[in-house]
Amino acid sequence: MEQSLAFLPPDSRILARRDTIVADLVDLIGREGIVSDPFELVPFETDGFIACRNLPLAVALPRTTAEVSELMKYCARYDIPVIPRGAGTSLSGGAIPQEDALVIALTRMNRILEVDFENRAAVVQAGVTNLSISDAVGADGFFYAPDPSSQLACTIGGNIGMNSGGAHCLKYGVTTNNLMGVKLVLFDGTVIELGGKALDAGGLDLMGVVCGSEGQLGIVTEATVRLLAKPEGARPVLFGFETAEGASACVSEIIGSGLIPVAIEFMDKPAIEICEAFAHAGYPMDVEALLIVEVEGSETEMDRMLQHIISIARRHGVKAVKESQSAMEAAAIWKGRKSAFGATGRIADYICMDGTVPLSELTNVLKGTYDICAHYGLRVANVFHAGDGNMHPLILYNINDPEQSAAAEAAGNDILKLCVDHGGCLTGEHGVGIEKRDLMRHQYKEADLAQQMRLRAAFDPKWILNPSKVFPLEGRTAA
Amino acid sequence: MEQSLAFLPPDSRILARRDTIVADLVDLIGREGIVSDPFELVPFETDGFIACRNLPLAVALPRTTAEVSELMKYCARYDIPVIPRGAGTSLSGGAIPQEDALVIALTRMNRILEVDFENRAAVVQAGVTNLSISDAVGADGFFYAPDPSSQLACTIGGNIGMNSGGAHCLKYGVTTNNLMGVKLVLFDGTVIELGGKALDAGGLDLMGVVCGSEGQLGIVTEATVRLLAKPEGARPVLFGFETAEGASACVSEIIGSGLIPVAIEFMDKPAIEICEAFAHAGYPMDVEALLIVEVEGSETEMDRMLQHIISIARRHGVKAVKESQSAMEAAAIWKGRKSAFGATGRIADYICMDGTVPLSELTNVLKGTYDICAHYGLRVANVFHAGDGNMHPLILYNINDPEQSAAAEAAGNDILKLCVDHGGCLTGEHGVGIEKRDLMRHQYKEADLAQQMRLRAAFDPKWILNPSKVFPLEGRTAA
């Protein structure tokens, strides 16, 4: 099974009618709401995945749910593909358009509509950035938990599409665990509301399946999200280990003992060197791997949990334990970790994988990752959310060397297959997008994929929403 | 809109072929796996809802997923309705059969297949009882969190069907938050696997929509559930209030402050009197309402959280605070609460409603509940999971008095509509079943219901799985 980044071939009838379509769209939501100049379309041709690009037919920038509904009605009538887009930070190509598609970018719908502390909820438009929710409620002692590294830029609509995670999701869960309700525009413009401020919902849990559906079931225009109270205190602690295996075995034992720190981040030696050179975080350099373990609560609670964790770490060859002594040191520790992708980009091109594995398989899969990269003669740096088994190997290569590029892609595929073969999953938080579409057959049996496609078709019988993504192009049974 | 408990009319062709069908089923899974004697079918004619009853065509008691698959293949071929059943403890009639249906009862599939502490997971067959999971891992310091009051009897398959909750779900979430994977037999016998021990899943989150789908999307035969470490200690505390409004305002302020105790249970004066007379729990009798607030953690942590909660309670007219001084006192406090339904049944017939509301509406909806019951001249006792806004008014009446019966049903409907009108939901944890089927139109717009039905049909295009439930019989658009 070869992986490809091919899109569905554009519909020539749509391309031929481009000017008419643009004029119609302008009629629907106004000139200032439609981008159609090829030069102005360039920022929308790809996203954070960057491995492929297409200029879309046009981009719409609606300001209201009603405008999104009008746009969808029009596109459904003429079978025009639609690519929903937030900030375009997708790492799996989820927002990359196809040539015959209208991109509907939600970035102008960026208002926080309501903050409701009594129900610990905020109602926001889909284009609000992740971090701005926490910013809006921080002074009152609350925050919104999922924290993808792109949280300064990425939007809540995109987070819902990809079911985004982040370093602190070990304790607080990913987007689906913090989402209470959505307003959803269906393929034909129908607006439905799912969930809300009350517990549970009668009937089927459509909200759960919409979260993580990568813009294929409808366009989320509003979301009600859970607010949490900020902890009394939080303390990241560095643990340096003699071996990478020791560090990963330590993670398994921490979680297996029932402890749930807020975060357990893993960095191997190459990642430590790359990040320390960039961020001067004070990471120990004489170790093979380190864990950043963050605990939170009162001073007493943090001390107690740390004692327990340190006693576990001692059984796995810990060489250094460094508690942050100040807010500045704590910030430096996280800065090193959160800048890992940027710091890596300084020294080489890289592709970042996003597999998950059961924690009991962490050591085996890490070892397998090293073996695979050695086989292809490539360097790899591992920096990832270890506590929930979400691995992010960064495979380093030279993008101008076709052989290395092909080797990097092959190594990435082998690593994801390794994750699946160890009971894991192709994706933890970046989504399938176009990147991992063809690997879906490695994850799922035909019957599983067929049922997913039937569900997809029950929402979007014309398959106009983000149609080139997630499901392999061949054998779309319900298309 | 009148509510009805009518089932779809039985298919006379199926009834006429009953003997052949039974013989075929015996061929499929053996004589000891099929119940067909009318006398032996009686235990399956209703469930915990008891408001209506039908003898099914037959009952199958499969022992393996393969047998369930064979049964579904057969039923799909001949369009025979199928009612999945666990322990039959449903409070909304979810397991009540129709006359032309095969009941597939999972009670023989009652093995715990694997306990995996390293991944904090247990793999169990669907017929395992809820409590037996915690029993199996308790000695190692773990437990399974959702704790419906029927946990001694109810099965994990039924819990998944209804997305069951319980008193301690305020902190730990309901079934969907503790479910990692399922094995599902589709309407045509296809077996698919959803989720597993690793975080997240590529593609659509079918597991989320299966959880709470009331046996209409397939039959769950195995589940992988999350295990949690038992807390160091737990302490229920009684708070007695001068007014019911004060108690409910206190709940809103506790949650609004960001505190998340393990449980906040509410009892009004009628409920206190009923439960105390039965359980002798030591409840204060000179108050209008009480809260049972349970905190957990180390002694220091519990003390700190309680101090905070007590200071909030003082602002809302708390008259009495009683901390349990021993494990025996703690058990007595919970015994009173958990026996509320049984204790109520001693003094009157009752129907138990299961609406949820945003916490900010708790006081208003409670007041509205009293007004409604007063209007119909009926007594009501309120005992419910206040922390997550899940109300359980028990409407007392005399089942042998047709006028009172009709009044109780009307009052129940009015209360559920009141919940919906205040931004809440028809059901918190008991499901829609047949009880609330016709109220779904009050909760949902046509477009919402139509989308749910399209999704349902994408799993079960023949609508053979539990077909009389959840969706109003009139206007089934995708049927």
Side-chain angles (χ1 to χ4, degrees), chain A residues 162-458:
Chain A
M162 292 307 187
N163 192 16
S164 303
H168 292 78
C169 289
L170 174 57
K171 177 167 177 183
Y172 295 115
V174 293
T175 301
T176 195
N177 308 113
N178 292 273
L179 185 64
M180 302 168 73
V182 297
K183 188 175 280 187
L184 185 75
V185 180
L186 298 179
F187 85 104
D188 62 355
T190 308
V191 180
I192 67 175
E193 295 195 40
L194 309 173
K197 292 181 187 170
L199 176 77
D200 209 350
L204 293 167
D205 180 13
L206 300 190
M207 193 174 70
V209 76
V210 166
C211 191
S213 62
E214 307 203 9
Q216 298 201 321
L217 303 191
I219 299 187
V220 171
T221 59
E222 282 180 29
T224 304
V225 298
R226 170 66 71 206
L227 301 177
L228 293 174
K230 284 199 266 194
E232 196 173 337
R235 204 191 297 164
V237 181
L238 288 175
F239 292 83
F241 287 83
E242 285 169 13
T243 63
E245 290 73 17
S248 71
C250 179
V251 174
S252 301
E253 191 174 337
I254 291 172
I255 301 296
S257 75
L259 292 172
I260 305 182
V262 195
I264 305 181
E265 297 289 304
F266 180 108
M267 301 172 82
D268 64 6
K269 194 169 187 71
I272 298 168
E273 287 170 354
I274 290 168
C275 293
E276 181 64 17
F278 175 80
H280 311 294
Y283 294 162
M285 301 301 292
D286 59 341
V287 300
E288 287 300 311
L290 66 78
L291 299 179
I292 304 171
V293 180
E294 184 159 301
V295 294
E296 65 177 28
S298 67
E299 290 298 320
T300 333
E301 287 161 41
M302 292 193 288
D303 286 344
R304 286 168 55 91
M305 191 180 266
L306 275 176
Q307 273 172 25
H308 197 151
I309 292 170
I310 289 170
S311 73
I312 292 173
R314 289 221 176 93
R315 290 200 282 277
H316 297 284
V318 73
K319 282 178 71 176
V321 178
K322 184 179 168 189
E323 296 192 35
S324 56
Q325 302 295 331
S326 67
M328 219 163 64
E329 276 188 23
I333 288 175
W334 275 116
K335 186 184 168 203
R337 163 63 185 93
K338 292 213 168 184
S339 61
F341 289 14
T344 305
R346 294 200 312 165
I347 64 160
D349 302 305
Y350 69 89
I351 51 172
C352 169
M353 297 290 109
D354 171 46
T356 65
V357 293
L359 278 186
S360 54
E361 298 299 322
L362 209 52
T363 309
N364 287 336
V365 173
L366 193 61
K367 194 174 165 313
T369 298
Y370 292 132
D371 291 345
I372 287 168
C373 291
H375 169 77
Y376 288 101
L378 294 167
R379 291 170 63 197
V380 63
N382 282 284
V383 43
F384 59 97
H385 312 314
D388 46 19
N390 185 190
M391 308 188 76
H392 286 328
L394 302 172
I395 304 170
L396 312 188
Y397 71 110
N398 177 353
I399 202 168
N400 295 316
D401 178 337
E403 259 181 55
Q404 275 208 7
S405 299
E409 198 185 304
N413 286 349
D414 286 358
I415 290 170
L416 291 182
K417 288 178 183 173
L418 182 73
C419 289
V420 172
D421 296 342
H422 282 263
C425 176
L426 293 173
T427 176
E429 55 188 7
H430 298 176
V432 176
I434 194 145
E435 179 198 23
K436 283 163 279 192
R437 181 187 63 197
D438 293 343
L439 286 170
M440 287 282 277
R441 290 200 192 286
H442 194 79
Q443 175 99 56
Y444 291 108
K445 290 179 297 187
E446 277 306 305
D448 294 310
L449 271 183
Q451 184 53 48
Q452 291 190 35
M453 287 191 270
R454 279 195 293 272
L455 186 147
R456 189 206 184 293

Side-chain angles (χ1 to χ4, degrees), chain B residues 313-394:
Chain B
R314 289 223 175 92
R315 291 199 282 279
H316 297 284
V318 73
K319 282 177 73 176
V321 178
K322 183 178 170 190
E323 295 191 35
S324 57
Q325 303 296 334
S326 67
M328 219 163 66
E329 278 189 22
I333 287 175
W334 276 116
K335 186 185 169 203
R337 163 63 185 93
K338 293 211 169 185
S339 59
F341 290 14
T344 305
R346 293 201 311 166
I347 63 161
D349 302 306
Y350 68 90
I351 52 173
C352 168
M353 298 290 110
D354 172 47
T356 65
V357 294
L359 277 186
S360 54
E361 298 298 324
L362 209 52
T363 309
N364 288 335
V365 173
L366 194 60
K367 195 177 162 312
T369 298
Y370 293 132
D371 291 346
I372 288 168
C373 291
H375 170 77
Y376 287 101
L378 294 167
R379 291 170 64 196
V380 62
N382 282 284
V383 43
F384 59 97
H385 312 315
D388 46 18
N390 186 188
M391 308 186 76
H392 286 328
L394 302 172

Side-chain angles (χ1 to χ4, degrees), chain B residues 208-249:
Chain B
V209 76
V210 166
C211 191
S213 61
E214 308 203 7
Q216 298 201 324
L217 303 190
I219 299 187
V220 170
T221 57
E222 280 180 31
T224 304
V225 299
R226 170 68 70 205
L227 301 177
L228 293 173
K230 285 199 264 192
E232 196 173 337
R235 203 191 298 164
V237 181
L238 288 175
F239 292 82
F241 288 84
E242 284 168 15
T243 63
E245 290 73 16
S248 72

Side-chain angles (χ1 to χ4, degrees), chain A residues 7-30:
Chain A
F7 284 73
L8 289 164
D11 183 332
S12 56
R13 290 162 307 172
I14 293 174
L15 298 180
R17 292 183 60 248
R18 181 171 184 274
D19 291 348
T20 315
I21 291 170
V22 167
D24 288 346
L25 294 171
V26 167
D27 282 349
L28 284 179
I29 70 164

